[in-house]
Amino acid sequence: VTSGAVLLDGMDVRDYKLSDLRSRISFALQKSELFSRSIRDNILFGKMNATEEEIRKAADTAHALEFIDQREEGFKEKLAEQGMSLSGGQKQRLSIARAVIKDASVLIFDDATSALDLKTEKKLYDALKASGRKQTKIIIAQRIASVMDADRIIFPEGSFHLEAKNGDSFVKEIRHEFVQSYKENTVSSSEDESLEVETIDPLLREIDAELEYASNIFATSSLNQQSKISDAIDNCLQYAVRNKALD
């Protein structure tokens, strides 16, 4: 921390002993580090004194039970080195179970759900909400759909920066930046600066239509719709970032 302050449980992080600070943070990464031990042991690395009930609950929250219980030895099954005997999504779910079992004050997902389909990812976040645990969750993601339920969304990309208080506000901000970016890069000072979205070429107009739609129905739409909307938002962001970089 070089300026200001970062508080954790009401206390400046600089005032914590490093070991105490680390004990309050749990994380799962995109690349899951698994060991040539049993599934149970791999989850236990998050909390070595966890009970069998806690292990099973963490696996359930991470939606790993569905494949663990199908394996011949269940939690006792020994994994191949680096978890090579598992799929990418299964490895990520075990890594998430390990992070969840710690029950830390701060939970960090660094693209930790990238190998999960939208349906499984949504179930995971719903389960975390249902746990009732008061916990700060920091989610770093490539898919817009992964953060749409967040209380605050930040999109930094060089000189391009967006920040919003929730998913709906974020979509509206993106739509605004999209239209402004298009105007700035297509309308000269001698042209009509009252350019409306309707004048944008068909492909970009389609993206904007998806964004307008998304701002109203994302939360209640089907997973298939959310996937399409997420793609449209990603396209819009790429367009805005690319044009900002050219300014």
Side-chain angles (χ1 to χ4, degrees):
V1 180
T2 56
S3 63
V6 177
L7 304 183
L8 178 56
D9 293 334
M11 181 174 168
D12 194 313
V13 293
R14 290 169 292 192
D15 295 331
Y16 279 98
K17 289 182 179 179
L18 186 57
S19 58
D20 289 340
L21 181 60
R22 287 175 173 170
S23 71
R24 287 171 165 77
I25 300 173
S26 186
F27 59 88
L29 307 177
Q30 180 183 29
K31 183 180 179 182
S32 309
E33 293 295 337
L34 299 177
F35 307 96
S36 184
R37 302 282 292 272
S38 69
I39 291 175
R40 177 182 181 278
D41 286 346
N42 270 277
I43 296 175
L44 272 177
F45 280 120
K47 183 180 178 182
M48 297 304 293
N49 61 345
T51 65
E52 296 302 317
E53 182 181 355
E54 288 175 320
I55 294 171
R56 192 166 183 84
K57 183 179 179 181
D60 187 31
T61 299
H63 284 270
L65 270 184
E66 58 187 56
F67 75 84
I68 294 175
D69 284 345
Q70 290 176 1
R71 305 183 89 84
E72 187 174 343
E73 296 185 81
F75 283 90
K76 295 180 180 180
E77 179 168 315
K78 185 176 180 179
L79 300 180
E81 193 68 35
Q82 296 295 315
M84 295 301 291
S85 53
L86 302 175
S87 69
Q90 290 172 340
K91 286 190 283 188
Q92 283 194 337
R93 279 181 277 177
L94 284 187
S95 180
I96 290 169
R98 180 195 296 159
V100 168
I101 200 171
K102 188 175 180 179
D103 200 25
S105 299
V106 178
L107 180 61
I108 301 173
F109 283 176
D110 189 353
D111 212 14
T113 59
S114 60
L116 304 185
D117 58 72
L118 284 175
K119 183 178 180 180
T120 302
E121 184 182 55
K122 187 177 187 305
K123 286 180 179 179
L124 165 64
Y125 288 132
D126 286 347
L128 287 173
K129 278 185 180 180
S131 69
R133 174 78 165 93
K134 289 186 177 181
Q135 187 178 57
T136 297
K137 301 176 186 68
I138 300 174
I139 302 171
I140 303 163
Q142 297 182 41
R143 295 185 301 203
I144 298 298
S146 301
V147 297
M148 287 298 286
D149 287 335
D151 298 319
R152 186 177 182 185
I153 302 173
I154 300 173
F155 180 87
E157 181 70 33
S159 61
F160 184 80
H161 180 89
L162 277 182
E163 186 170 338
K165 62 182 179 180
N166 56 43
D168 288 343
S169 296
F170 188 59
V171 172
K172 288 180 173 65
E173 286 293 324
I174 293 171
R175 187 166 183 256
H176 172 75
E177 286 293 333
F178 167 73
V179 176
Q180 289 302 115
S181 180
Y182 186 84
K183 288 180 180 180
E184 291 170 4
N185 288 275
T186 57
V187 184
S188 68
S189 58
S190 61
E191 292 181 287
D192 180 11
E193 294 197 9
S194 64
L195 177 71
E196 298 297 333
V197 177
E198 287 73 14
T199 67
I200 299 176
D201 69 66
L203 175 60
L204 300 182
R205 187 163 63 246
E206 181 180 344
I207 294 173
D208 180 74
E210 290 282 8
L211 290 172
E212 183 179 24
Y213 183 61
S215 64
N216 297 316
I217 59 86
F218 189 94
T220 58
S221 62
S222 69
L223 288 172
N224 185 49
Q225 286 175 314
Q226 289 186 10
S227 179
K228 291 180 179 179
I229 294 169
S230 180
D231 288 343
I233 295 173
D234 287 337
N235 288 337
C236 176
L237 280 172
Q238 290 171 20
Y239 176 85
V241 169
R242 183 172 64 252
N243 287 328
K244 284 287 184 181
L246 296 174
D247 292 346

